[in-house]
Amino acid sequence: MKFLVHTYGCQMNVRDSEAVEAMLLAAGHEKAAGEDDADLVIVNSCTVRQKAEEKAVGKAGNLIAAGKVVGLMGCAVKRMGEDVFKRLPRLHFAVGPRAFGLIPRIVAEGRYPRLELAEDLVPGCLSAHVEGGWQAYVTVLLGCDNRCSYCIVPDVRGHEYSRPAREVVAEVGALARRGVREVCLLGQSVLRYGVRNQAWEDGWRGEAFPRLLRALSEIDGIERIRFTSAHPKGCTDELIRVYRDCPKVCRHLHLPVQSGSDRVLAEMGRRYTRAEYLAAVAKLRAFDPEFAVTTDVIVGYPGETEADFEETRSLMEEAGFDNAFVFKYSPRPGTRSAALPDDVPTAEKERRNQVLLDDQEKRGQRRNEALVGSVREVLVEGPSKRNERRWSGRDGGNRIVVWERAGSERAGDFAKIRIVGAHPQTLIGEMA
Ligand code: 5AD
Ligand code: SF4
């Protein structure tokens, strides 16, 4: 059967989709060239905001209408449960975020409709990777136990579960042998690795995640190690020591702040204050002034006043974020904040969103200009979409660097690029 997987949402979903592809390929199926060519299309859904869910469900609906065998997987399936077949009456199958390992069997049996919301993982499903390429995502922590008031993730992705360190080290070793040079470790709050369940089998009582970074740094062939997402509570002295000791660990942290107002942070249940958050950023930048810090922010949380919003604005300036993703609050069924009136009008959410994006544009420009003249170690990704002669890659801080191709570069290699120009989200360089 020829199949295609469409992915919505975060890196977790990108990773789960890759695992599904790898399992279907191993079962003898073939990847379709495009939608027209596909017999089976799987849509991996997100439900973090209502719009995200609508996009995935809408896509699945269109594919059903086009006569494909359609499966829906991921977060929206878990949120809807059996109602998924009310929204999509002719959907063939639906699997929750931890049940994707069942897809090859479901497809082989061909008994539809089918709904699988099982919490237990099919053995091996987390380590299935598609061959080729030099970058890979590796899931290390599943689920989330933080229970922020606005967030549906704990309901759909379940309790935190840290994969055994032994398994992660073996997986990254296997990837390295296949030519992978950069790994990105995934978890909703990845610094909580090994907190809820023991990750190291030798009874290790120290910090489990920094130890994992040290172990992965030892693997030959792996040149860069990234991870996402982080929480300021995880920015410990030991993590800083790892950055110091392990040059393969990239000096970039995605540290979602959500708000700069202590009142809103407390209502959200974020478990840090504005000052604590800023102290974590200061610690990273004291260690390395070029340390890249990126973030997520929500505007228009219930009861967010103009003064709260201004606190967010000033926090973003103080933190000097290298990049920021701004989201308009969207109430999600079953979350604590869904019980509160969604009282910031849409137009006002839109305005706040735009103000933060404009601020970030200026800040990004300023921060990138400060790097002009420096030489960055860039991992080459390939030609840019618009101009074949321009190549792009990323530096350790995850900054996009674009340069005129010299000719000798190859995707997956390191190149030294001198920065000669700056845009808010891109550095312009030349081969050094
Ligand atoms: N409304 C808007 N944004 C949300 N996020 C999570 N839940 C919501 C919601 N209900 C944002 C957070 C998170 C990012 C992945 O999505 O900023 O970090
Ligand atoms: Fe979307 Fe969150 Fe699920 Fe990722 S974990 S796909 S952001 S709902």
Side-chain angles (χ1 to χ4, degrees):
M1 185 129 63
K2 287 193 177 177
F3 71 93
L4 213 57
V5 185
H6 280 302
T7 309
Y8 295 86
C10 66
Q11 291 104 322
M12 302 270 169
N13 270 14
V14 174
R15 170 65 197 120
D16 294 347
S17 290
E18 188 212 354
V20 168
E21 285 191 15
M23 289 184 289
L24 288 173
L25 289 170
H29 301 289
E30 216 183 303
K31 209 168 155 178
E35 247 169 48
D36 291 343
D37 185 38
D39 313 299
L40 163 70
V41 186
I42 296 168
V43 177
N44 195 353
S45 63
C46 171
T47 187
V48 75
R49 287 167 295 278
Q50 197 188 332
K51 281 226 172 79
E53 183 177 299
E54 281 163 9
K55 267 196 215 154
V57 173
K59 182 75 188 173
N62 291 342
L63 290 161
I64 293 169
K68 309 287 178 191
V69 174
V70 179
L72 192 67
M73 63 184 274
C75 298
V77 172
K78 187 75 175 186
R79 193 197 71 72
M80 288 186 273
E82 300 206 337
D83 287 350
V84 68
F85 292 108
K86 287 192 192 139
R87 287 273 290 277
L88 294 166
R90 290 188 292 136
L91 180 69
H92 292 80
F93 65 90
V95 298
R98 288 202 190 181
F100 62 83
L102 295 167
I103 289 178
R105 205 154 82 209
I106 293 172
V107 173
E109 291 171 1
R111 278 188 283 107
Y112 306 125
R114 207 151 150 195
L115 176 66
E116 294 289 349
L117 299 172
E119 293 278 308
D120 21 298
L121 296 154
V122 172
C125 74
L126 289 177
S127 48
H129 284 270
V130 175
E131 287 203 33
W134 47 271
Q135 281 173 315
Y137 286 126
V138 174
T139 302
V140 301
L141 179 76
L142 285 80
C144 186
D145 283 344
N146 277 344
R147 306 220 72 98
C148 304
S149 63
Y150 52 84
C151 187
I152 196 159
V153 171
D155 293 333
V156 293
R157 283 205 172 248
H159 277 301
E160 266 174 31
Y161 167 71
S162 299
R163 291 178 68 197
R166 180 179 34 80
E167 208 175 288
V168 175
V169 172
E171 183 171 327
V172 174
L175 288 167
R177 285 191 294 279
R178 280 190 191 176
V180 168
R181 312 193 73 190
E182 176 177 302
V183 289
C184 180
L185 312 176
L186 299 179
Q188 289 298 338
S189 191
V190 73
L191 301 177
R192 282 178 54 82
Y193 179 75
V195 171
R196 189 168 186 267
N197 64 291
Q198 186 84 27
W200 292 93
E201 287 171 326
D202 55 5
W204 173 260
R205 289 260 155 258
E207 294 177 35
F209 190 70
R211 184 177 174 197
L212 183 66
L213 293 174
R214 288 185 192 276
L216 298 179
S217 284
E218 300 289 314
I219 298 176
D220 284 340
I222 297 297
E223 305 288 352
R224 272 186 179 172
I225 302 168
R226 302 184 181 282
F227 54 89
T228 196
S229 287
H231 185 280
K233 279 221 184 330
C235 296
T236 59
D237 294 341
E238 171 57 6
L239 186 69
I240 302 283
R241 283 193 290 275
V242 169
Y243 283 120
R244 191 196 59 210
D245 298 344
C246 307
K248 291 180 181 179
V249 179
C250 292
R251 296 181 177 185
H252 164 229
L253 212 50
H254 185 62
L255 202 58
V257 66
Q258 315 299 3
S259 171
S261 152
D262 277 333
R263 192 189 64 78
V264 175
L265 286 172
E267 289 217 1
M268 287 176 163
R270 290 293 296 170
R271 301 180 298 114
Y272 55 79
T273 61
R274 171 192 177 97
E276 284 165 339
Y277 182 91
L278 286 169
V281 175
K283 193 163 158 178
L284 297 167
R285 295 264 173 74
F287 164 68
D288 177 354
E290 285 186 2
F291 201 107
V293 183
T294 57
T295 203
D296 292 340
V297 176
I298 297 175
V299 291
Y301 185 81
E304 183 187 70
T305 64
E306 187 59 29
D308 292 322
F309 171 67
E310 285 300 326
E311 293 271 288
T312 299
R313 248 188 120 176
S314 66
L315 175 135
M316 291 179 76
E317 191 51 37
E318 276 181 57
F321 291 122
D322 294 273
N323 205 350
F325 301 89
V326 185
F327 303 104
K328 286 167 272 181
Y329 173 73
S330 165
R332 305 308 292 131
T335 59
R336 269 183 292 132
S337 68
L340 305 169
D342 181 12
D343 57 0
V344 178
T346 307
E348 181 59 15
K349 282 182 189 165
E350 194 62 65
R351 186 191 71 85
R352 292 179 188 180
N353 178 62
Q354 199 51 51
V355 169
L356 297 188
L357 291 180
D358 291 346
D359 284 357
Q360 184 56 44
E361 176 119 339
K362 293 190 197 104
R363 186 179 306 120
Q365 178 72 36
R366 215 173 52 232
R367 288 194 63 79
N368 280 345
E369 271 169 11
L371 300 174
V372 170
S374 67
V375 174
R376 329 263 343 140
E377 181 125 66
V378 170
L379 200 48
V380 180
E381 298 194 340
S384 83
K385 282 186 200 97
R386 272 187 251 136
N387 181 347
E388 288 274 309
R389 286 183 45 229
R390 285 198 143 191
W391 273 43
S392 80
R394 283 169 195 267
D395 77 352
N398 215 26
R399 302 174 184 95
I400 299 168
V401 182
V402 177
W403 68 96
E404 292 286 321
R405 190 176 192 208
S408 55
E409 310 89 325
R410 281 185 330 194
D413 280 354
F414 280 108
K416 286 207 185 322
I417 306 288
R418 177 175 296 106
I419 304 306
V420 296
H423 292 302
Q425 302 208 41
T426 338
L427 295 167
I428 310 297
E430 55 190 31
M431 202 63 144

